[in-house]
Amino acid sequence: KMAEYLGFIAGVDENVGRLLAVLEDPNRDGDTQDSILEDTLILFTSDNGGFINEWDGQRVTDNAPLRSGKGALYEGGIRVPTIIRWPDITIPNTTSDYPITTQDFYPTLLEMVNLKWDSSQVAAFDGISLIPVLKDPQAELKQRALYWHYPHYYHTTKPVSAIRQGDWKLLEFLEDNHVELYNLKEDVGEKNNMKKANPEKAKELLHLLTEWRQQVDASMPRLNPEYSK
């Protein structure tokens, strides 16, 4: 229904292929030389999820079965593709279910290229190195919580924070502080709010989310005294 959007997606696919072909081509500069593809780390990912609103009167896309889209903290807004090709390390055609976040790329890339860093400095970042998972998709990394904070208005959302820990995810909407709780393993579409059925889990995650916002000094929305409808 949206030819322009399809064209953009096809263009990305085509140009990733062109890039790989150039890296593999020993005659890429007109002179015979070694292919550099097998010496090149490739990391393909995306920013926040697909734009589900209208453009020129047409709805652009749909992220089903994920809920909502770009700007929201539902899975349609934050769950994105990541593909990493690391020659002689990653195993082709394998996947991992371990949840990662873009903050993980910095410590991962440092370790990949054997750059030394100040451990006390890196400890201040949220990310962790994904090297064990890249070597073995079944590797057990430490359990941790992932956090998001969006104190803004957008087509798909009102100000909101979210936390994911294991299969559980909690969202707190900051206008009225109402809470939604989902089990992503059983309900990836976030259709069944489990807050009433699991009040202790909701309380636990809300406490962690509140502590994290305080720790990072997150900006919170404020009432605008000049606003009028």
Side-chain angles (χ1 to χ4, degrees):
K1 293 183 179 180
M2 192 70 182
E4 294 91 342
Y5 192 72
L6 174 61
F8 279 122
I9 295 173
V12 169
D13 287 348
E14 179 182 351
N15 283 292
V16 168
R18 291 175 64 196
L19 175 61
L20 294 177
V22 169
L23 293 173
E24 190 174 24
D25 183 7
N27 299 308
R28 60 188 175 279
D29 296 323
D31 299 318
T32 300
Q33 50 196 308
D34 293 335
S35 167
I36 59 174
L37 181 62
E38 295 310 307
D39 294 320
T40 303
L41 167 72
I42 297 169
L43 194 161
F44 178 92
T45 189
S46 171
D47 71 346
N48 48 333
F51 185 79
I52 63 172
N53 302 99
E54 290 189 356
W55 179 263
D56 285 344
Q58 295 188 67
R59 182 162 178 170
V60 175
T61 190
D62 189 314
N63 298 312
L66 306 182
R67 181 174 177 178
S68 196
K70 194 175 193 72
L73 296 189
Y74 293 115
E75 292 298 283
I78 60 175
R79 184 182 289 229
V80 298
T82 296
I83 302 171
I84 299 177
R85 183 184 189 273
W86 188 9
D88 299 324
I89 302 296
T90 52
I91 305 170
N93 302 313
T94 57
T95 60
S96 171
D97 293 328
Y98 182 75
I100 68 172
T101 181
T102 48
Q103 289 95 321
D104 295 330
F105 295 153
Y106 177 61
T108 301
L109 291 168
L110 285 176
E111 186 173 347
M112 282 176 165
V113 296
N114 296 315
L115 281 180
K116 296 185 181 297
W117 65 84
D118 182 339
S119 59
S120 63
Q121 178 192 36
V122 174
F125 288 87
D126 293 329
I128 64 172
S129 172
L130 303 173
I131 299 295
V133 165
L134 295 178
K135 292 181 176 180
D136 177 7
Q138 306 304 316
E140 295 288 336
L141 293 186
K142 68 177 182 180
Q143 293 297 314
R144 58 172 177 162
L146 301 180
Y147 299 92
W148 296 264
H149 182 61
Y150 193 77
H152 312 290
Y153 291 88
Y154 192 64
H155 304 287
T156 52
T157 189
K158 295 179 178 180
V160 60
S161 298
I163 174 175
R164 174 175 177 175
Q165 187 180 59
D167 294 326
W168 290 99
K169 178 179 170 188
L170 177 136
L171 299 93
E172 181 187 18
F173 289 85
L174 303 176
E175 275 191 344
D176 58 7
N177 299 112
H178 88 266
V179 165
E180 298 176 10
L181 178 70
Y182 301 100
N183 185 304
L184 296 180
K185 184 176 182 179
E186 299 174 356
D187 178 27
V188 73
E190 295 168 295
K191 297 178 180 179
N192 184 20
N193 185 356
M194 302 288 289
K195 178 193 171 186
K196 291 183 178 179
N198 292 270
E200 291 303 315
K201 177 58 70 173
K203 181 179 179 181
E204 172 194 347
L205 294 184
L206 182 59
H207 175 72
L208 290 174
L209 181 59
T210 302
E211 278 196 335
W212 173 80
R213 283 196 305 244
Q214 294 171 347
Q215 177 186 346
V216 300
D217 193 24
S219 297
M220 300 295 286
R222 301 187 306 272
L223 289 175
N224 179 1
E226 298 182 3
Y227 173 79
S228 61
K229 294 184 179 180

Short mmCIF file of all heavy atoms in Angstrom, two decimals, residues 168 181 194-203:
data_model
loop_
_atom_site.label_atom_id
_atom_site.label_comp_id
_atom_site.label_asym_id
_atom_site.label_seq_id
_atom_site.Cartn_x
_atom_site.Cartn_y
_atom_site.Cartn_z
N TRP A 168 9.63 -10.18 31.76
CA TRP A 168 8.67 -9.20 32.26
C TRP A 168 9.02 -7.79 31.84
O TRP A 168 10.18 -7.40 31.84
CB TRP A 168 8.58 -9.27 33.79
CG TRP A 168 7.93 -10.51 34.29
CD1 TRP A 168 8.55 -11.64 34.75
CD2 TRP A 168 6.52 -10.78 34.36
NE1 TRP A 168 7.63 -12.59 35.12
CE2 TRP A 168 6.37 -12.09 34.88
CE3 TRP A 168 5.38 -10.04 34.04
CZ2 TRP A 168 5.13 -12.67 35.08
CZ3 TRP A 168 4.14 -10.62 34.24
CH2 TRP A 168 4.01 -11.92 34.76
N LEU A 181 1.81 -3.99 32.95
CA LEU A 181 2.78 -5.08 33.12
C LEU A 181 2.47 -6.19 32.11
O LEU A 181 1.33 -6.63 31.98
CB LEU A 181 2.68 -5.64 34.55
CG LEU A 181 3.59 -6.83 34.87
CD1 LEU A 181 5.06 -6.40 34.93
CD2 LEU A 181 3.18 -7.48 36.20
N MET A 194 -0.95 -7.49 32.99
CA MET A 194 -0.89 -8.45 34.10
C MET A 194 -0.72 -7.78 35.46
O MET A 194 -0.43 -8.45 36.45
CB MET A 194 0.27 -9.42 33.87
CG MET A 194 0.23 -10.18 32.57
SD MET A 194 -1.06 -11.44 32.59
CE MET A 194 -0.38 -12.62 33.75
N LYS A 195 -0.91 -6.47 35.54
CA LYS A 195 -0.66 -5.77 36.79
C LYS A 195 -1.52 -6.31 37.94
O LYS A 195 -1.03 -6.56 39.05
CB LYS A 195 -0.93 -4.27 36.61
CG LYS A 195 -0.74 -3.47 37.90
CD LYS A 195 -1.30 -2.07 37.79
CE LYS A 195 -1.30 -1.37 39.14
NZ LYS A 195 -1.97 -0.06 39.09
N LYS A 196 -2.81 -6.51 37.70
CA LYS A 196 -3.69 -6.99 38.77
C LYS A 196 -3.41 -8.44 39.13
O LYS A 196 -3.53 -8.83 40.30
CB LYS A 196 -5.15 -6.82 38.35
CG LYS A 196 -5.60 -5.36 38.27
CD LYS A 196 -7.07 -5.26 37.93
CE LYS A 196 -7.53 -3.80 37.89
NZ LYS A 196 -8.98 -3.67 37.53
N ALA A 197 -3.03 -9.24 38.15
CA ALA A 197 -2.75 -10.66 38.41
C ALA A 197 -1.40 -10.86 39.09
O ALA A 197 -1.20 -11.88 39.76
CB ALA A 197 -2.81 -11.45 37.10
N ASN A 198 -0.46 -9.92 38.90
CA ASN A 198 0.88 -10.06 39.47
C ASN A 198 1.31 -8.74 40.14
O ASN A 198 2.27 -8.09 39.73
CB ASN A 198 1.89 -10.41 38.38
CG ASN A 198 1.68 -11.80 37.82
OD1 ASN A 198 2.23 -12.78 38.30
ND2 ASN A 198 0.86 -11.86 36.77
N PRO A 199 0.60 -8.34 41.21
CA PRO A 199 0.89 -7.04 41.84
C PRO A 199 2.30 -6.97 42.43
O PRO A 199 2.92 -5.89 42.42
CB PRO A 199 -0.18 -6.93 42.93
CG PRO A 199 -0.62 -8.33 43.20
CD PRO A 199 -0.50 -9.04 41.90
N GLU A 200 2.84 -8.09 42.92
CA GLU A 200 4.17 -8.06 43.52
C GLU A 200 5.25 -7.83 42.45
O GLU A 200 6.22 -7.11 42.68
CB GLU A 200 4.44 -9.36 44.28
CG GLU A 200 3.61 -9.50 45.55
CD GLU A 200 3.82 -8.33 46.50
OE1 GLU A 200 5.00 -7.95 46.71
OE2 GLU A 200 2.83 -7.80 47.02
N LYS A 201 5.09 -8.47 41.29
CA LYS A 201 6.04 -8.24 40.19
C LYS A 201 5.97 -6.79 39.72
O LYS A 201 7.01 -6.16 39.46
CB LYS A 201 5.75 -9.20 39.04
CG LYS A 201 6.63 -9.01 37.81
CD LYS A 201 8.11 -9.16 38.13
CE LYS A 201 8.50 -10.58 38.45
NZ LYS A 201 9.98 -10.72 38.59
N ALA A 202 4.76 -6.24 39.61
CA ALA A 202 4.61 -4.85 39.21
C ALA A 202 5.28 -3.92 40.22
O ALA A 202 5.98 -2.97 39.85
CB ALA A 202 3.14 -4.50 39.06
N LYS A 203 5.10 -4.20 41.49
CA LYS A 203 5.70 -3.38 42.54
C LYS A 203 7.22 -3.45 42.48
O LYS A 203 7.92 -2.44 42.61
CB LYS A 203 5.20 -3.84 43.91
CG LYS A 203 5.74 -3.04 45.08
CD LYS A 203 5.15 -3.56 46.39
CE LYS A 203 5.71 -2.78 47.59
NZ LYS A 203 5.15 -3.30 48.87
#
